[in-house]
Amino acid sequence: MKQRCQRNPRNRALERPNVDGIRIRTANIEDAAAIAEIYNQGIEDRIATYETSRRSAEDQEAWLQAIAGRYPAVVAQINGKIIGWVGAGPYRDRECYRGIGEFSMYVHREWRRRGAGDLLLAGLISEAERMGLWKLLSRIFPFNDASRALCRKHGFREVGVYEKHARLDGHWLDVVIVERLISANLKAVSL
């Protein structure tokens, strides 16, 4: 008999003391405009995504609504201003992959390399555990050393490279595949 994973009702990472006044919390619909602004910086900077089309607040509202209650989304905030976000969505549509979240993370240009990404990724992992996910994964450009190092710090392992995965500005780019198992939830799921 298939047994459903019991969810952890608390998110320990969101309860941690903040670093330099940075507060981590779950994202909500009202955060959509700030999330779009930060995502658009990432699109412009060409260091973290193949995307070239800007996102609107409405685009991000639709995304937040689509993942609500199923996949985690977390923001970093300082003095009431959102300075970064991380969110996961479905890896694939098939039922067998329902416990895998594919994530993206973006930090405002002015706040990169100041600890926000570290707090965001910890919050994402904790929320993913609370929500019953058993794995997080992402794809990172090989030259994005900061993201690769941050993922390693949080227990992600690099499992391979998709060569010439897509083109960005006319150039083929590879991506490094990273994954992290959430062992507490692997043990709770009876296959």
Side-chain angles (χ1 to χ4, degrees):
M1 179 171 155
K2 188 188 261 187
Q3 180 180 344
R4 298 239 359 143
C5 172
Q6 288 188 328
R7 294 181 175 183
N8 179 347
R10 296 180 59 194
N11 182 332
R12 294 173 301 281
L14 300 184
E15 297 169 358
R16 284 185 355 185
N18 46 20
V19 174
D20 294 330
I22 299 171
R23 179 176 167 246
I24 303 298
R25 64 170 175 77
T26 55
N28 59 55
I29 296 296
E30 290 77 29
D31 300 327
I35 289 171
E37 177 189 346
I38 294 166
Y39 190 15
N40 288 333
Q41 287 181 358
I43 291 169
E44 292 165 9
D45 293 345
R46 302 293 202 260
I47 59 169
T49 182
Y50 287 109
E51 293 295 333
T52 57
S53 298
R54 294 178 56 81
R55 295 295 193 266
S56 68
E58 293 78 20
D59 294 332
Q60 296 312 116
E61 282 180 22
W63 170 71
L64 286 165
Q65 289 172 342
I67 65 166
R70 294 187 56 217
Y71 295 95
V74 176
V75 295
Q77 192 172 25
I78 190 161
N79 298 327
K81 180 181 175 168
I82 294 173
I83 60 168
W85 65 272
V86 61
Y91 166 65
R92 298 282 188 268
D93 289 336
R94 293 171 59 189
E95 178 66 20
C96 61
Y97 298 129
R98 78 189 184 305
I100 301 172
E102 186 170 3
F103 77 94
S104 297
M105 180 170 65
Y106 295 88
V107 175
H108 192 285
R109 284 184 191 116
E110 296 174 10
W111 286 93
R112 293 178 189 158
R113 298 183 185 269
R114 295 175 63 183
D118 189 33
L119 294 172
L120 282 165
L121 198 50
L124 176 75
I125 293 165
S126 186
E127 271 293 283
E129 179 182 343
R130 185 187 68 76
M131 296 179 89
L133 300 182
W134 60 75
K135 182 191 282 193
L136 289 169
L137 61 85
S138 192
R139 293 178 303 266
I140 303 171
F141 290 142
F143 52 80
N144 191 338
D145 296 328
S147 289
R148 291 174 71 187
L150 184 60
C151 284
R152 280 192 297 275
K153 177 180 178 181
H154 284 273
F156 286 82
R157 66 188 188 110
E158 295 183 355
V159 296
V161 174
Y162 288 139
E163 293 183 9
K164 296 176 178 45
H165 197 56
R167 292 167 53 103
L168 179 62
D169 297 330
H171 301 283
W172 286 106
L173 294 178
D174 299 344
V175 287
V176 176
I177 307 148
V178 297
E179 71 174 8
R180 184 186 192 282
L181 298 175
I182 302 171
S183 58
N185 292 341
L186 283 171
K187 294 173 188 168
V189 175
S190 174
L191 299 177

